[in-house]
Amino acid sequence: MNVGNPRVKGEGDADEDGLDAACDPNDFENNPDQDGDGYLNRDDICPLVPSTQKDVDGDQIGDECDTVGHGPDVADGKVPLVIQAAEITIK
Ligand SMILES: [Ca+2]
Ligand SMILES: [Ca+2]
Ligand SMILES: [Ca+2]
Ligand SMILES: [Ca+2]
């Protein structure tokens, strides 16, 4: 569970490297690519384990770190549903 709101810049992420304090092993040091695999934290579906970005079951958790529940073959991650709405004025 995240400490802060992932949509609010810097909330729960003191070093602003895209990793919430709950899973950042060093939330005082900005490491945009924590695991050094070439995929930046914000786009890395497995930010703490160097990975291939493959996601066989499509649950947004990379195969290499999809070890909770049923593992990489069964989708048990929760895909976030985001709806963006804004009021606009047409003149
Ligand atoms: Ca952080
Ligand atoms: Ca960090
Ligand atoms: Ca990475
Ligand atoms: Ca997966």
Side-chain angles (χ1 to χ4, degrees), residues 45 54-63 66 71-77:
I45 54 174
K54 285 201 180 111
D55 179 19
V56 169
D57 57 16
D59 64 1
Q60 304 289 307
I61 302 169
D63 289 352
D66 193 351
D73 299 333
V74 181
D76 45 15

Side-chain angles (χ1 to χ4, degrees), residues 15 17 19 24-31 34:
D15 58 11
D17 61 2
L19 280 183
D24 192 339
N26 45 27
D27 201 32
F28 46 85
E29 187 184 304
N30 185 294
N31 323 86
Q34 183 70 44

Side-chain angles (χ1 to χ4, degrees), residues 3-80:
V3 174
N5 180 345
R7 305 211 174 276
V8 179
K9 192 173 185 249
E11 193 181 299
D13 179 17
D15 58 11
E16 298 190 0
D17 61 2
L19 280 183
D20 188 271
C23 55
D24 192 339
N26 45 27
D27 201 32
F28 46 85
E29 187 184 304
N30 185 294
N31 323 86
D33 180 15
Q34 183 70 44
D35 55 14
D37 64 358
Y39 297 96
L40 297 180
N41 296 335
R42 292 178 206 278
D43 298 321
D44 198 334
I45 54 174
C46 217
L48 300 180
V49 183
S51 65
T52 54
Q53 303 302 297
K54 285 201 180 111
D55 179 19
V56 169
D57 57 16
D59 64 1
Q60 304 289 307
I61 302 169
D63 289 352
E64 287 86 349
C65 57
D66 193 351
T67 52
V68 209
H70 296 93
D73 299 333
V74 181
D76 45 15
K78 206 160 73 180
V79 180

